[in-house]
Amino acid sequence: MSAIDHTHFRQPLGRTPFLDHYEAASTREHWTVWNGYKIAKVVDNLAREYYAIRSGCSVMDLTPMEKYRISGPDAGDFLNRLVTRDVSQLAVGRITYVVWCDDEGKAIDDGTIFRLGEREYRLCAQHHQLDWLLSSALGFDVSITCETHEVAALAVQGPTSHTVLAAAGFTELAQLKPFRSVQTSFAGGPALVSRTGFTGDLGYEIWVAPEQADALWQALLAQRASYDVVPIGLDAMEMARIEAGFIMPGFDFVTAETALMPEHRRSPYELGLGWAVDLEKGHFTGRAALKAEQSRPATRRLTKLVVAGNKPVGDAFIYNRRKGREIGVVRCATWSPVLKANLALAEIELTDGSLPGRVWAKIDYQRELAWRVAWEPCTISSKPFYSPAHRSATPPHAF
């Protein structure tokens, strides 16, 4: 029997292989916890980190993202049974966005599936999912292992990200299209590069063993002599993902596993993710409930709003008219520096399955410690707020 480690409490937060570099770069000491790891919210300057995403090259530590290796003869069938989208035709080297639900059709989490080989996949998720994956795998000939701690990951995002990666030695990415990956080598070991991200801009994610992390960081940051390469924290990523219209489980909606009250759970249709549900692909967890839900008029939907003015939207309530009836609440919001607009994702009640034509936000805000109220009209948007052409250009534009 091995001795019990009585010192684990001395380091309550995990350290990613990149944390030493982040601590050296940090001037703000603004940290938070992501899946048990210490991670930066702001490294140095939020504005500079945001503009690195939109006009330069940002580098963010993705290691805390939950990563699962799913392999075996039934790996593909298992995943197609788990998620709402049809992934049966996902080719090797391809990646797709997915959401998965409980038996009542309520969203548990979302993430991406990487097909790494004929019987080999990686599932990335925002939150810990091993218990749900294992219980869902009963009857399948499949192996599921958590590889979160064995895979270090960096998001390299921004218009010059391809140029910086090429200069750092990743010279085979010019023809890599969005939602594709390539197996390559780096610093004496294998590396996976995917053209994916959470910013809505040109970007890549690099996946290596922890032993290669230091060399990867050094190779990227060495390009600062020619390019603006900026380590960023979660706050800059949050601004970019709202601009792109991406949702965040646990922040924009209560996940089915964490909801204390059943009425707080949300289905993919209610989250605006109906396009990721395929009721015709055959049975999957939650299909019966989602099919029944689709036959009824929808009652609410997470909706993109452009809010007039420049007051901080915060957790504003949404009304059907100025000083009218309350019909919703803002789940997340940001001021967009590149669009010069107030952006929000809000959950809004529908009428006969349809969104109202126009809504208003009631914003409570402080000015010199005095609370004030502003009523601002909102424009409903069906598309991402920000989606530049260079995001999907292949080969990427040269800078």
Side-chain angles (χ1 to χ4, degrees):
M1 179 180 296
S2 60
I4 297 175
D5 178 8
H6 290 290
T7 63
H8 65 283
F9 63 89
R10 297 187 187 280
Q11 185 179 301
L13 297 182
R15 297 180 64 83
T16 79
F18 303 106
L19 186 58
D20 286 348
H21 297 293
Y22 271 90
E23 289 179 335
S26 174
T27 60
R28 298 286 300 275
E29 298 296 337
H30 194 181
W31 308 97
T32 188
V33 180
W34 180 11
N35 288 338
Y37 283 100
K38 179 181 177 181
I39 196 85
K41 286 180 68 65
V42 178
V43 179
D44 177 41
N45 180 287
L46 178 59
R48 183 167 182 241
E49 293 168 35
Y50 166 82
Y51 277 111
I53 297 173
R54 292 294 180 235
S55 62
C57 179
S58 66
V59 177
M60 182 177 151
D61 190 352
L62 278 186
T63 305
M65 178 182 291
E66 291 287 337
K67 302 175 281 286
Y68 301 96
R69 180 64 65 110
I70 300 169
S71 57
D74 293 344
D77 290 340
F78 161 70
L79 287 168
N80 211 35
R81 170 70 163 71
L82 177 79
V83 303
T84 61
R85 197 172 191 178
D86 186 357
V87 297
S88 62
Q89 302 303 313
L90 188 68
V92 175
R94 299 286 188 94
I95 303 153
T96 191
Y97 170 82
V98 293
V99 59
W100 52 99
C101 299
D102 62 11
D103 288 332
E104 297 178 67
K106 303 303 182 184
I108 292 176
D109 206 344
D110 69 350
T112 48
I113 292 177
F114 293 58
R115 188 165 188 181
L116 304 176
E118 288 300 323
R119 298 180 175 182
E120 200 82 12
Y121 298 82
R122 173 177 293 157
L123 174 66
C124 294
Q126 172 72 9
H127 302 291
H128 185 76
Q129 293 293 322
L130 186 60
D131 51 351
W132 181 258
L133 297 178
L134 291 175
S135 61
S136 298
L138 292 175
F140 288 95
D141 186 1
V142 65
S143 170
I144 302 172
T145 57
C146 178
E147 58 179 11
T148 301
H149 311 304
E150 284 72 47
V151 179
L154 280 182
V156 185
Q157 306 276 306
T160 62
S161 56
H162 173 259
T163 306
V164 168
L165 283 167
F170 294 93
T171 58
E172 63 278 75
L173 306 181
Q175 299 304 318
L176 189 65
K177 296 180 179 179
F179 286 92
R180 307 291 205 279
S181 67
V182 60
Q183 300 275 1
T184 184
S185 60
F186 181 80
L192 179 72
V193 181
S194 58
R195 189 165 169 183
T196 48
F198 203 49
T199 64
D201 216 298
L202 175 67
Y204 301 82
E205 293 169 337
I206 319 297
W207 315 80
V208 297
E211 297 74 23
Q212 300 162 264
D214 186 64
L216 176 60
W217 182 273
Q218 300 290 356
L220 292 172
L221 273 292
Q223 307 314 314
R224 285 177 129 172
S226 303
Y227 303 100
D228 193 23
V229 183
V230 181
I232 70 167
L234 290 172
D235 284 4
M237 183 74 78
E238 173 74 359
M239 296 170 68
R241 72 98 180 169
I242 294 173
E243 289 179 336
F246 297 150
I247 67 172
M248 181 79 82
F251 294 85
D252 300 337
F253 69 97
V254 181
T255 66
E257 280 192 319
T258 59
L260 297 178
M261 291 178 276
E263 63 269 27
H264 290 167
R265 303 172 301 166
R266 295 293 179 263
S267 75
Y269 295 126
E270 293 170 317
L271 298 174
L273 298 176
W275 57 270
V277 178
D278 186 348
L279 296 174
E280 305 304 319
K281 72 168 185 171
H283 186 68
F284 60 88
T285 304
R287 179 179 179 275
L290 290 172
K291 189 173 183 179
E293 180 180 341
Q294 194 191 40
S295 67
R296 304 186 297 266
T299 58
R300 63 175 75 88
R301 185 175 303 151
L302 194 62
T303 304
K304 291 183 278 293
L305 298 178
V306 180
V307 184
N310 59 6
K311 296 177 178 62
V313 176
D315 300 321
F317 289 99
I318 303 298
Y319 289 74
N320 63 341
R321 62 181 183 277
R322 192 176 189 275
K323 298 185 179 181
R325 183 173 67 86
E326 181 186 313
I327 59 170
V329 63
V330 169
R331 296 303 185 195
C332 66
T334 189
W335 171 258
S336 169
V338 70
L339 298 174
K340 303 294 185 288
N342 244 339
L343 310 179
L345 295 178
E347 186 175 86
I348 299 177
E349 292 178 16
L350 307 184
T351 302
D352 296 328
S354 299
L355 285 164
R358 196 179 194 192
V359 297
W360 288 73
K362 180 190 176 189
I363 302 173
D364 294 286
Y365 67 102
Q366 271 195 343
R367 177 173 293 173
E368 295 183 336
L369 300 181
W371 281 101
R372 300 168 184 267
V373 175
W375 289 86
E376 299 289 0
C378 308
T379 302
I380 294 172
S381 176
S382 60
K383 297 181 178 179
F385 301 115
Y386 182 75
S387 183
H390 65 254
R391 172 189 181 189
S392 55
T394 305
H397 300 164
F399 291 97

